[in-house]
Amino acid sequence: MPVQPTPVAELPVIEVFSSIQGEGPWVGCRQVFVRLAECNLKCRYCDTPTAPPDVCRIETLPGTEEFKTLPNPVPVDVLFLLLRDWAKETPGLHHSISLTGGEPLVHSDALTQVLPALRDVLPVYLETNGTLPEALEPLLPHLDFISMDLKLPSVAGVTPQWEDHRQFLRLGWNLPGYVKVVVSEQTCEEELEEAATLVAEEAENKDLILQPITLDNQPGVSGQRMHQFQEVAARVYPRVRVIPQVHPILGAL
Ligand code: SF4
């Protein structure tokens, strides 16, 4: 019997590029971003097309913002070779590979096939909406950082995700990471308090980051209102910090 080739997993990729992490405690670090299509939620402020495009765009050289295209879906071995070459060409530049989206955990099965190899190239930093605990669990041994969102219904316009968020935090990922809440002028303070209570109960070793929504490339919440939000959250969870998105201010990808 002829030997059958091992099937290679594929991922629907929107784009791959090198830029500055614009959110959270690792703001300013240079990362390789792998933006995957598809998501299990539909937030009203989402800026990412979640449907898989026919082709993905790949930066020709890291940081140049010049792109070539590849047909979708992309075999994970092609993705691995690309990122391995980038790491060789730019030693010391990148802090990690950011898996972002969309919601990367929608592709947990394919990611289990490529993450061990990617992790030999650079540390892996997962950006997730924190609602798919079953998908996270098998990936935990292959991750180095987790940036987890907590979705406030009054801001994201989605049904409450509290129970899924709780289960996600209960996995007790003992990795560097944080929990992020996007707030707007319309944020319901009771929801913010509920989010802070959830972090206090399930993840007391993590920073809670309040991120003002970005409007026209600027923080879309006044400084005074952010003070109020921080006070509301700090009453139940003192490890709360305010960090706006930085990459839109810089005009970076
Ligand atoms: S979780 Fe993220 S990718 Fe999914 S809809 Fe919300 S903002 Fe968009």
Side-chain angles (χ1 to χ4, degrees):
M1 258 214 14
V3 177
Q4 297 295 316
T6 308
V8 174
E10 297 176 322
L11 286 165
V13 180
I14 297 173
E15 56 189 354
V16 179
F17 60 95
S18 163
S19 189
I20 294 160
Q21 172 57 249
E23 300 183 350
W26 285 277
V27 66
C29 291
R30 188 71 172 265
Q31 289 182 317
V32 178
F33 289 84
V34 178
R35 186 180 301 286
L36 301 175
E38 300 177 12
C39 183
N40 59 316
L41 298 181
K42 204 170 175 54
C43 303
R44 69 161 70 99
Y45 53 74
C46 185
D47 62 358
T48 303
T50 52
D54 292 340
V55 294
C56 68
R57 56 178 211 156
I58 309 272
E59 223 172 17
T60 49
L61 289 171
T64 58
E65 299 191 15
E66 290 176 8
F67 290 86
K68 63 184 178 185
T69 58
L70 280 181
N72 253 329
V74 178
V76 292
D77 56 344
V78 172
L79 186 63
F80 162 72
L81 291 173
L82 173 82
L83 299 184
R84 187 198 61 182
D85 290 349
W86 277 18
K88 277 188 192 156
E89 288 161 14
T90 57
L93 177 60
H94 293 108
H95 166 271
S96 50
I97 296 167
S98 172
L99 295 175
T100 186
E103 171 49 54
L105 292 180
V106 168
H107 308 292
S108 177
D109 288 347
L111 288 174
T112 51
Q113 291 195 35
V114 70
L115 285 191
L118 283 189
R119 214 156 162 236
D120 281 344
V121 174
L122 282 169
V124 175
Y125 179 112
L126 173 69
E127 302 197 34
T128 172
N129 63 28
T131 60
L132 298 172
E134 302 83 7
L136 174 68
E137 199 164 10
L139 295 185
L140 278 175
H142 311 300
L143 298 172
D144 297 282
F145 300 86
I146 298 182
S147 162
M148 172 194 171
D149 279 9
L150 275 186
K151 298 292 184 185
L152 302 187
S154 61
V155 181
V158 296
T159 54
Q161 303 291 316
W162 302 120
E163 199 43 44
D164 285 335
H165 285 323
R166 186 177 294 280
Q167 296 308 322
F168 197 95
L169 287 169
R170 272 202 183 155
L171 288 174
W173 26 286
N174 195 22
L175 302 173
Y178 68 100
V179 181
K180 179 185 80 190
V181 175
V182 175
V183 294
S184 72
E185 292 283 352
Q186 287 72 42
T187 290
C188 165
E189 292 191 5
E190 287 74 24
E191 287 179 5
L192 181 55
E193 190 174 332
E194 186 161 355
T197 303
L198 185 57
V199 178
E201 290 173 353
E202 306 291 350
E204 60 181 357
N205 58 343
K206 305 276 187 293
D207 280 339
L208 172 61
I209 306 298
L210 304 186
Q211 179 177 292
I213 195 167
T214 300
L215 300 174
D216 296 328
N217 294 329
Q218 295 291 324
V221 184
S222 70
Q224 190 185 21
R225 193 81 178 109
M226 290 308 302
H227 287 165
Q228 292 167 349
F229 289 148
Q230 192 171 32
E231 286 158 24
V232 167
R235 271 183 228 128
V236 284
Y237 192 62
R239 287 186 62 166
V240 56
R241 298 162 63 187
V242 172
I243 305 179
Q245 279 189 322
V246 165
H247 55 292
I249 298 170
L250 286 173
L253 285 174

